[in-house]
Amino acid sequence: MSTRFVIDFNNMPKVSVLGKTSTGQGSTFVGERITCSLVTKKTGTGSKPHFHPDETFNYVLSGALQVDMDGEHFVVPTGCLLHIPANMVHNVVATTDGDATYLVWRDRVGELQGQPVLTEA
């Protein structure tokens, strides 16, 4: 079986996915046009307000995410998808109910044009 096209997040190093902006730890695969990460945030921890030049999707596999975005405060439960438009200031925190694990897909359009991957608000 060819493994060239199979990404094994379980055996990749777990690192900070957004540096000092977030407590999220996980593994990331960078493709030509899309970045995909498997991220875990510990209970009650998360990111500072920030934005990306690119559109982002977060699919919650377990736990739930408390989100502050565009003047709204809401929870994204297990099995739901969070859509974050490009340049939208947001912060995402694992709820106090437990750790949250989620998949992240972010397009790389801005990054490929030389824009920063993220900017703290």
Side-chain angles (χ1 to χ4, degrees), residues 4 17 22-25 29 33 37 39 62 70 81 111:
R4 185 171 66 149
V17 292
S22 176
T23 61
Q25 295 281 314
F29 176 77
R33 293 182 270 171
S37 301
V39 179
S62 64
D70 201 29
L81 180 74
E111 177 185 344

Side-chain angles (χ1 to χ4, degrees), residues 27-66:
S27 302
T28 299
F29 176 77
V30 180
E32 284 184 42
R33 293 182 270 171
I34 297 172
T35 295
C36 184
S37 301
L38 177 61
V39 179
T40 298
K41 288 185 180 176
K42 298 290 184 190
T43 304
T45 70
S47 64
K48 300 174 187 175
H50 67 284
F51 62 93
H52 314 269
D54 303 308
E55 185 173 35
T56 304
F57 296 93
N58 294 354
Y59 179 76
V60 181
L61 297 167
S62 64
L65 299 172
Q66 172 64 51

Side-chain angles (χ1 to χ4, degrees), residues 3 6 12 15 23 25 27 37 43-44 48-49 51 56 66 68-69 72 76 78 85 93 98 103 106-107:
T3 58
V6 177
M12 293 173 71
V15 298
T23 61
Q25 295 281 314
S27 302
S37 301
T43 304
K48 300 174 187 175
F51 62 93
T56 304
Q66 172 64 51
D68 294 315
M69 185 167 69
E72 295 185 37
V76 182
T78 297
V93 176
L103 284 168
R106 182 181 53 78
D107 76 59

